[in-house]
Amino acid sequence: MPNLPYLRAVIRETLRLHPSGPFIIRECAEDCKVNGSFVKGKSHVLINVYAMMQDPELWTNLDEFIPERFLESSDEKISEHQMEFKGQNFRYIPFGSGRRGCLGRSLAMLMMHTTIAALVQRFDWTMKGRENVDLSLGSGFGVEIEKPLVCYRITRLT
Ligand code: HEM
């Protein structure tokens, strides 16, 4: 994995634009003010991770798929540290944050890297009746793509 920085960047950019958990949920411990708005203690709060990872103040060309932004120093607005995803950096929290952050984060990253690397290394991929992937989003809570992607594999290695 350390020798596949572009794959790592592709996975991170995918999680930025298509987080599997676009909202995280918390209960407010006590009355507080957020940006001037009063939030009563015990309220349930939805945190829009999807919007945070596409905030125009923090990201350039935010709705474009640009894995290069996750390669070192390719985006002048951010440093490598700001790209870490362990929950301390609120511009990029695909796995949530804090004590209720995703427990499977490391396993998920490891599995995604090894699985996608093997699928790309061993097969070529085609799509039936389509030139490009249609990434239009559906209306569900999980922001899945509207039209399911169907791919066919062509074995490359024996
Ligand atoms: C790409 C893969 C995954 C993504 C994007 C993801 C994302 C998330 C997010 C956003 C949360 C909510 C975090 C928060 O509220 O701050 C969460 C919670 C959780 N995830 Fe994942 N997850 C992934 C894979 C996994 C895997 C593979 C496991 C287990 C093997 C796992 C186990 C959990 C558990 C147990 C929680 C609840 C933690 C708690 O409430 O204390 N996740 N995940």
Side-chain angles (χ1 to χ4, degrees):
M1 270 169 52
N3 294 331
L4 298 173
Y6 196 74
L7 174 68
R8 195 176 60 174
V10 164
I11 288 174
R12 289 184 183 204
E13 177 70 337
T14 305
L15 286 172
R16 183 185 73 83
L17 280 172
H18 307 283
S20 347
F23 294 100
I24 59 178
I25 303 170
R26 292 290 183 275
E27 183 185 281
C28 249
E30 55 190 45
D31 293 359
C32 62
K33 270 197 166 182
V34 179
N35 276 350
S37 300
F38 176 70
V39 185
K40 194 163 171 46
K42 299 275 177 204
S43 301
H44 284 179
V45 181
L46 283 180
I47 299 158
N48 191 341
V49 171
Y50 180 77
M52 288 160 76
M53 295 197 290
Q54 295 187 44
D55 184 335
E57 286 184 17
L58 302 171
W59 300 92
T60 44
N61 302 322
L62 48 104
D63 49 1
E64 284 175 39
F65 185 78
I66 309 176
E68 286 76 7
R69 70 173 90 240
F70 284 91
L71 295 173
E72 258 176 90
S73 317
S74 58
D75 187 330
E76 72 284 357
K77 274 193 182 178
I78 48 189
S79 68
E80 173 76 0
H81 165 71
Q82 288 177 296
M83 283 306 191
E84 69 89 17
F85 56 88
K86 292 171 187 156
Q88 300 303 309
N89 154 32
F90 293 121
R91 68 195 299 277
Y92 187 64
I93 48 171
F95 294 101
S97 178
R99 281 185 293 177
R100 302 307 301 264
C102 179
L103 288 179
R105 186 183 65 211
S106 303
L107 176 67
M109 282 309 236
L110 194 64
M111 292 306 294
M112 281 190 290
H113 282 80
T114 45
T115 306
I116 295 167
L119 291 175
V120 172
Q121 186 191 35
R122 287 168 182 260
F123 304 104
D124 284 326
W125 295 91
T126 58
M127 286 180 294
K128 198 175 181 181
R130 279 206 228 163
E131 288 281 302
N132 295 312
V133 179
D134 181 354
L135 287 175
S136 312
L137 298 178
S139 56
F141 193 69
V143 290
E144 291 93 359
I145 52 174
E146 194 175 12
K147 294 178 191 144
L149 174 65
V150 181
C151 293
Y152 298 87
R153 66 184 165 82
I154 303 163
T155 307
R156 186 133 47 86
L157 299 179
T158 55

